[in-house]
Amino acid sequence: MSVVDLPRYPFARAGSLGELCSLVHERCASGERTVLLAGGTDFMAEVSQSPRRDGPLPLVVDISRLPELGAIEWDGRTLRLGAGATYRELAEHHAVREHAPLIARMTSDIGGPTIQARGTLGGNLATASPAADGVAALAAYEPTVVLASVRGERKVRMADFHTGYKRTSRADDEIITAIEVAPPPPGSPWHWRKVGTRQAQAIAKVALGAVAALDGTRITRLGLGMASVGPTTALLPKTRALLVDGSPRDVDLAQLDAAVAADISPIDDIRSTGAYRLHVAKALVRELVRSLANL
C-alpha cells in the first residue's frame, strides 16, 4: 500500500477528543473496524505487507491534528507526553531533553527524518511490536499509559499494558492519549544502546534502555526495557532484582548473564538468530553495569 491507495478507504477527521471517543465507541458497538491514523508509519507498513481482508475496509480517522494528543507538559513532578507527539517534537522539546533525556536520545535512532517527523509513541504502544525502540526507551522510566473513552479516563502501568505479542490491555473503544513519566532525580544516569544492521532506519536486533538512581555506589532505582528479545518489550525483572540495592562494582557477571537469559526468550527470524540476540543482550547489560560502576 502507498499514499495513492488511501482514497480507497473511508476517511474521517475527529474535531475533538470527545468526538473521537464517541465515534470509536459507536463503531465498536456495531462491530465496525476503525483505524486511528496519526503518523501512519505502522499502518502503512502493516497493510502493504498483509493480504487484503475480506469485507469492508476500516474507517480511517485522522487524529494528527487533535491538540489533546499532541501536547508535551511538565508540571514540576510529572512529564506528560501526548500520544500524538512526533519523535521530532519529543527530541526538540526542552522538558523531554531535561527530564527524560533517554527518550530524546532514542528518537535519533528511529528510522530516518521522515519517520521521525511522523511517527509517535502512541502508535508504538498501540501496535505493541516487541521490536519498538520507543517502547523500550519508555519502559526504562516505568511510566503510566493514559487511556480515554466515553467512560472517562483510565491509567495503566506500562508494565501491565502489553499482555502478549501485539496485544494490549486497552479496550477496543479506548484511545491512548498520553504517557506519564515520573523522572528520577536530576542528573540520574541513563543508558541507550541499539544494535541493528545500520545505526538507524533498521529494526533493532536488540535494543536496551535503562534509567537508574544511585545513593553513593548503591543502585536505588533501575528501570529497564529491552526490544526484540521476546513477545513483548522485556522489562528484565530478574536482572533488575539482582542489581537493585547493590553496587554495580560488586556484580557477579556469571549471575548477571544467567539473570538476563532467564528474563528473555529471543527467537530466530529474518533479522537475526535467537543465539545472537542472547549474546548481544548479555553484552548490553554488562555494558550498562560497567557504565554505572565507572560513575
Side-chain angles (χ1 to χ4, degrees):
M1 177 183 170
S2 68
V3 174
V4 298
D5 297 308
L6 279 177
R8 296 192 296 111
Y9 285 73
F11 183 85
R13 177 175 289 133
S16 68
L17 180 59
E19 179 183 319
L20 178 63
C21 289
S22 296
L23 173 63
V24 172
H25 176 76
E26 291 168 5
R27 290 185 60 81
C28 284
S30 62
E32 297 175 292
R33 292 178 58 222
T34 308
V35 172
L36 304 184
L37 194 72
T41 56
D42 287 329
F43 174 64
M44 299 289 280
E46 177 185 340
V47 174
S48 67
Q49 296 169 9
S50 302
R52 179 173 172 177
R53 299 181 183 182
D54 294 331
L57 292 171
L59 174 67
V60 175
V61 182
D62 179 11
I63 61 173
S64 63
R65 300 183 186 182
L66 289 181
E68 299 98 325
L69 302 184
I72 300 172
E73 301 171 330
W74 168 250
D75 66 4
R77 297 183 60 184
T78 301
L79 180 64
R80 184 179 173 100
L81 308 173
T86 68
Y87 288 113
R88 178 176 295 173
E89 289 168 340
L90 292 168
E92 295 176 350
H93 199 282
H94 65 90
V96 179
R97 296 171 69 89
E98 180 177 355
H99 301 291
L102 165 57
I103 293 174
R105 167 63 185 84
M106 169 274 301
T107 61
S108 64
D109 283 346
I110 291 189
T114 302
I115 298 297
Q116 293 165 17
R118 296 297 302 168
T120 65
L121 284 177
N124 260 188
L125 285 168
T127 304
S129 167
D133 297 336
V135 178
L138 268 179
Y141 286 97
E142 302 174 292
T144 298
V145 180
V146 184
L147 304 167
S149 70
V150 294
R151 296 175 298 282
E153 187 176 90
R154 182 169 74 98
K155 297 184 179 182
V156 181
R157 293 191 317 145
M158 188 173 153
D160 301 322
F161 186 69
H162 290 127
T163 58
Y165 178 68
K166 295 197 171 182
R167 297 199 306 272
T168 75
S169 59
R170 179 180 65 88
D172 289 341
D173 67 342
E174 286 184 314
I175 297 149
I176 302 171
T177 59
I179 304 97
E180 292 184 344
V181 173
S188 293
W190 56 273
H191 185 84
W192 170 252
R193 187 80 150 80
K194 175 178 177 176
V195 176
T197 307
R198 299 179 298 278
Q199 181 66 26
Q201 299 193 51
I203 298 174
K205 296 178 185 291
V206 183
L208 173 66
V211 175
L214 299 177
D215 181 4
T217 62
R218 184 172 66 92
I219 300 172
T220 58
R221 166 181 169 169
L222 182 62
L224 298 168
M226 185 174 280
S228 296
V229 292
T232 63
T233 299
L235 305 183
L236 308 181
K238 292 182 173 61
T239 303
R240 181 182 180 278
L242 178 68
L243 295 173
V244 171
D245 289 329
S247 169
R249 300 173 184 174
D250 300 329
V251 174
D252 182 290
L253 294 181
Q255 291 182 352
L256 184 65
D257 287 347
V260 174
D263 276 333
I264 65 178
S265 52
I267 62 170
D268 297 343
D269 64 16
I270 194 171
R271 297 193 309 278
S272 191
T273 66
Y276 179 74
R277 285 188 166 110
L278 176 60
H279 172 78
V280 172
K282 292 177 180 178
L284 294 189
V285 174
R286 284 192 179 204
E287 180 182 74
L288 165 66
V289 171
R290 283 197 302 271
S291 69
L292 293 176
N294 289 332
L295 292 175

